[in-house]
Amino acid sequence: MPTPHLALLLAPALGAQDFPDLPLGALTTLPTVRAVEEQMAAGDEAWTASLTAPAGDRAGLRRIAFDAWQSALLESEPGTAVRVVLPGPESSPFLPGGSWDPSRAAEGVQDAVLRRLMSIPPDEAEVWIARFAPQARVAFAEALAAAPERAGARLAEIERSFPLTRPSVAAAVACADLALEEARHEAAASWLVRATRQLDVLEERSAEPGLARDWIGPARRGIGARRATIEVALSAGRTGRDHTSPRRPRPIEAAPRATPPELTLIDTRRIAGIERSASDPFGRGLPSGLAALVDGSVLVQGAPGLLLIEPRTDTGGYEVTRALTGEALGIGRVFPRALASAGGWPSLPATDGVHVALVAGRAERPRAFLDLKLAPIGNALGVVVRGGSERAIRPRWVLRDGRVLMDPAPSAGPRSPDQLATLSRVEDVPGWDMGAGWEWQPGPVIAGGTVYALARGLGDPRSSDGADRADEVRLFALDLDTAEVLWSRQVTSERGRSEDRGRGDAAAFAVTTMPLGIHRPSGTLYVGTNAGLVCAFGAAEGRLLWAVRTQRGGSTRDGWAGSQPPIVVLGRGRSAAPGTRDSVWMAPLGSEYAYSFAAGPWPLGASSPFAERPRPRRGALSIAAVHPPSRADAGATLALLGREGRYDAILLDTPGEPRIPTTYLAPSERFGGHAAQTPFGLLVAGTGELVTLDVGQGYGIAGAAPLRSRGAGRGGDVFPWQGRVYVVGRDTVWILEEPR
């Protein structure tokens, strides 16, 4: 690898103010910390000065640079980021509206330091190692001798603070072992990625004789054995199915040409039975969601209620239990509200195959009554499991504004947060110090005994640190059993354009974030906002891996339909092209482009985290399928739900080729929800029937099953699970299966 000078790292840009970005149309702030950026800039300045200094002064200036970078590490926290600075000018047009500008991105402090250590001569990297390895060894020995409840945090700090040293790598592996002992496989995967990342740099930059043979090789083999354990755990079918489930598709030319199974409608059920006559635009309004459990049952969450469908092994049928969401959670009735123009408010429950996490209701903003200012009231985040015969849906806990109700009893009456204090087992959430007025966003994630969820603050000056937190977006990690806050990280401020402040109810009812996504093999969480920012965090300790400001359309222009969950594509299957990496596609509501990112941390040798160029929406509604390329240097083919002339149609989008419509719906038919990829093809629900499309035959129609209306519209999102296919509409569920 060539060794570029750090003089080209543009150190003054690190401390620059955020600036108006007209081509992107996004002014959303990056999650950077000025004091840490100044430390990094001071180190860059010292290193740059050493390049032209007299020989006798160079060693001293480079020690100053190393000390400044290390001070930035010590002053930072896992969620701290600095703006990305790359060696040399970069002109690849990865983002629409102009060339890729690294100032539009931020990365974690350790990655910023590793990037610099990769850019200096190997003998200087050895000076870094020799300077900080003794401190790291002492800290590592002290961490091993510490009490078990403190050892994990101290090991994590060592790994973050002393990169490129052996104790740092050993600390990452030790943290992975601690996570594996607790069956937190995604967190363990995140730590192993950190260890491997450092080994890659260490192997390239270190000049120590025999290091690769005697230490790096055995370390890699140990990491490989741990990864094999994680892969077995994650592939054992224990995670159920929800909006975070990954896809493992084949390239179109490698798709099977077998006859897809014929599906037959066997039942239609209303979720809550509340009349909803008005139709919503595609993906907006109050869409319903589904969480499929490992025992074959599914829990459907609609705007007002829940529907549990439990299979019967003795008769081959199933039982159905219906309940209003708030009453099932013991908090009284909740009333979600949404405007279709603001992206709607989807119900997207998450599951690990046994537990289900769901968001109930909307928050209430601060309001004035006479001369009193009333505090905001947050909405609820709850975890439920299947119960016994007396209570089919049993809540484990319900969290609202720092108070948690454990094992709540069912209730038909309304309950305010103050009334919760009169109930049994109401507790303050450990680790909560952020006041009231937090609105949990749709689409949480359950992974490794942890609930990950996004929330936006509505503003409460009573928080313990005195911060108002209005329009702040935070990522929370909560213990699945107790709701304890394990950590929380600020993502950004909600508003990214001044024009949003004049949108009235549309801004108040907007869904602020995309649903969370997770790439489980690397333990990476994907956070997207609808205000021009997407981020990646490590699942283990909430370390910010990277953040990118994306293009954002005007408030009067349509973006993608609703807030679509990130699409995780596992590209390492047998039919994938050699060298194809896993990727994650994100289509933010406020953007006119879809973005593909390399799964996991930002590759240190890459100029951006993108896996390929963003794709313009051009009228498409939804990404129905992602087909990995047949060559490693080619882009993926997207199957889009869109419109061609007067007809809804499947559109194939391949880089460098015209967008091709392949299959048209009938003139009166419209797409009713998001599609589902299956081994035999694509399942798409229209407003009249469920269509099976054979990918191996050019997305030709291979079958169709009618969807009967039950008074709340037809069509919805498609979920195949254990031999059945569920179409989840606004207040209706259609159940289909293959003929026996």
Side-chain angles (χ1 to χ4, degrees):
M1 171 184 283
T3 305
H5 288 166
L6 281 179
L8 297 177
L9 288 185
L10 306 177
L14 282 172
Q17 291 281 353
D18 219 355
F19 53 89
D21 194 343
L22 298 180
L24 289 180
L27 304 182
T28 303
T29 57
L30 291 167
T32 57
V33 176
R34 175 171 294 277
V36 178
E37 287 187 322
E38 290 173 350
Q39 290 279 5
M40 295 295 296
D44 293 349
E45 183 179 355
W47 182 271
T48 302
S50 75
L51 298 177
T52 56
D57 297 336
R58 292 176 188 172
L61 287 170
R62 292 180 178 182
R63 281 197 299 271
I64 293 174
F66 289 164
D67 289 343
W69 295 339
Q70 222 265 332
S71 295
L73 289 165
L74 295 176
E75 292 182 13
S76 66
E77 297 180 353
T80 303
V82 295
R83 282 180 180 80
V84 172
V85 182
L86 297 173
E90 187 63 43
S91 59
S92 300
F94 277 109
L95 281 179
S99 297
W100 165 241
D101 182 355
S103 66
R104 295 171 178 166
E107 64 182 342
V109 181
Q110 189 198 64
D111 285 344
V113 173
L114 282 175
R115 199 180 297 278
R116 284 158 172 79
L117 295 178
M118 286 183 63
S119 301
I120 65 178
D123 58 336
E124 295 295 342
E126 283 289 344
V127 174
W128 166 279
I129 296 171
R131 185 168 182 79
F132 297 113
Q135 301 177 39
R137 283 194 293 269
V138 172
F140 186 74
E142 293 175 348
L144 294 181
E149 62 272 13
R150 298 177 55 193
R154 298 185 69 170
L155 288 168
E157 185 177 354
I158 293 166
E159 187 278 332
R160 189 173 65 250
S161 302
F162 301 99
L164 220 60
T165 65
R166 295 193 194 187
S168 179
V169 177
V173 175
C175 287
D177 289 340
L178 292 175
L180 285 173
E181 290 176 1
E182 299 175 353
R184 296 187 295 117
H185 299 103
E186 292 84 354
S190 179
W191 285 118
L192 294 180
V193 167
R194 304 303 308 178
T196 302
R197 196 171 176 84
Q198 292 203 55
L199 285 176
D200 292 342
V201 181
L202 189 60
E203 186 170 23
E204 180 179 338
R205 311 309 290 169
S206 177
E208 180 181 339
L211 179 67
R213 181 189 68 249
D214 300 334
W215 192 77
I216 294 180
R220 289 191 186 279
R221 289 192 291 273
I223 290 173
R226 292 170 174 85
R227 278 184 172 160
T229 300
I230 294 172
E231 289 177 4
V232 170
L234 295 181
S235 63
R238 301 171 182 168
T239 57
R241 181 184 178 89
D242 57 18
H243 66 277
T244 70
S245 297
R247 307 183 186 185
R248 196 186 294 272
R250 298 184 178 186
I252 291 180
E253 57 271 23
R257 285 169 170 77
T259 302
E262 180 181 352
L263 297 173
T264 302
L265 180 68
I266 60 173
D267 201 358
T268 305
R269 297 279 180 156
R270 293 289 296 272
I271 300 174
I274 297 177
E275 291 300 323
R276 300 175 63 191
S277 57
S279 61
D280 294 323
F282 181 99
R284 306 194 179 195
L286 297 170
S288 304
L290 176 147
L293 309 183
V294 293
D295 62 5
S297 60
V298 299
L299 181 66
V300 179
Q301 182 186 7
L306 302 173
L307 189 71
L308 178 64
I309 303 173
E310 303 174 275
R312 291 287 302 271
T313 56
D314 52 350
T315 63
Y318 50 86
E319 294 183 357
V320 175
T321 302
R322 180 184 292 115
L324 294 178
T325 304
E327 295 178 4
L329 295 179
I331 58 174
R333 296 188 179 183
V334 293
F335 299 96
R337 298 160 291 172
L339 295 179
S341 61
W345 187 264
S347 295
L348 292 169
T351 184
D352 61 356
V354 177
H355 306 83
V356 178
L358 48 87
V359 173
R362 298 295 303 268
E364 297 183 15
R365 289 182 172 273
R367 59 195 188 281
F369 178 74
L370 299 178
D371 59 345
L372 300 176
K373 186 176 181 180
L374 302 181
I377 300 175
N379 62 348
L381 173 69
V383 170
V384 302
V385 295
R386 280 190 58 189
S389 57
E390 297 182 357
R391 194 178 183 191
I393 304 172
R394 184 171 66 85
R396 295 286 300 274
W397 53 259
V398 181
L399 171 63
R400 176 187 283 174
D401 285 343
R403 308 297 307 280
V404 61
L405 178 61
M406 303 299 298
D407 297 318
S411 171
R415 290 174 176 169
S416 68
D418 292 336
Q419 288 173 315
L420 289 179
T422 65
L423 302 175
S424 60
R425 297 208 66 190
V426 177
E427 305 168 3
D428 291 329
V429 176
W432 187 279
D433 59 356
M434 287 159 288
W438 287 92
E439 183 173 68
W440 299 104
Q441 300 287 289
V445 165
I446 299 181
T450 305
V451 179
Y452 300 96
L454 289 162
R456 70 164 174 172
L458 302 184
D460 183 8
R462 301 175 303 173
S463 58
S464 62
D465 57 5
D468 180 74
R469 303 188 185 279
D471 292 334
E472 178 182 342
V473 178
R474 293 192 76 85
L475 172 63
F476 289 84
L478 309 168
D479 186 88
L480 181 61
D481 294 324
T482 65
E484 176 184 356
V485 178
L486 304 177
W487 49 260
S488 71
R489 303 284 178 255
Q490 181 178 354
V491 177
T492 185
S493 298
E494 174 195 351
R495 299 288 176 249
R497 298 175 65 104
S498 59
E499 63 190 67
D500 283 338
R501 301 185 184 278
R503 296 183 65 192
D505 288 343
F509 285 113
V511 53
T512 298
T513 69
M514 297 176 61
L516 274 175
I518 184 170
H519 180 251
R520 297 180 188 273
S522 66
T524 305
L525 295 163
Y526 291 88
V527 177
T529 75
N530 294 322
L533 186 75
V534 294
C535 312
F537 289 83
E541 57 169 355
R543 182 176 306 185
L544 189 139
L545 305 179
W546 52 258
V548 174
R549 290 165 58 199
T550 59
Q551 182 270 350
R552 189 178 183 217
S555 61
T556 59
R557 302 180 65 179
D558 288 336
W560 291 92
S563 290
Q564 300 182 50
I567 300 174
V568 177
V569 181
L570 303 180
R572 294 173 293 180
R574 289 176 298 174
S575 58
T580 302
R581 292 192 57 185
D582 295 359
S583 62
V584 178
W585 284 85
M586 303 180 75
L589 165 69
S591 180
E592 298 169 5
Y593 291 80
Y595 304 91
S596 175
F597 298 97
W602 183 330
L604 289 173
S607 60
S608 82
F610 296 102
E612 57 178 273
R613 297 171 184 263
R615 303 287 182 87
R617 186 178 70 89
R618 290 188 295 174
L621 298 171
S622 169
I623 300 176
V626 179
H627 295 284
S630 55
R631 305 189 322 272
D633 60 345
T637 296
L638 303 183
L640 304 170
L641 305 186
R643 195 161 178 81
E644 180 73 12
R646 297 185 299 115
Y647 303 95
D648 278 15
I650 300 292
L651 310 172
L652 292 185
D653 187 296
T654 303
E657 300 179 10
R659 184 174 287 181
I660 302 173
T662 62
T663 303
Y664 294 87
L665 299 187
S668 60
E669 186 87 353
R670 293 290 179 265
F671 290 122
H674 299 295
Q677 283 179 273
T678 67
F680 52 80
L682 190 71
L683 297 176
V684 184
T687 51
E689 57 188 9
L690 175 69
V691 180
T692 303
L693 303 177
D694 188 347
V695 179
Q697 297 293 336
Y699 275 93
I701 296 179
L707 303 176
R708 298 194 304 268
S709 174
R710 292 288 300 271
R714 290 184 293 183
D717 296 344
V718 183
F719 296 88
W721 184 245
Q722 295 191 2
R724 288 196 171 110
V725 174
Y726 300 86
V727 179
V728 181
R730 295 163 61 237
D731 194 58
T732 311
V733 178
W734 292 268
I735 307 173
L736 302 95
E737 66 179 16
E738 302 175 30
R740 297 183 181 277

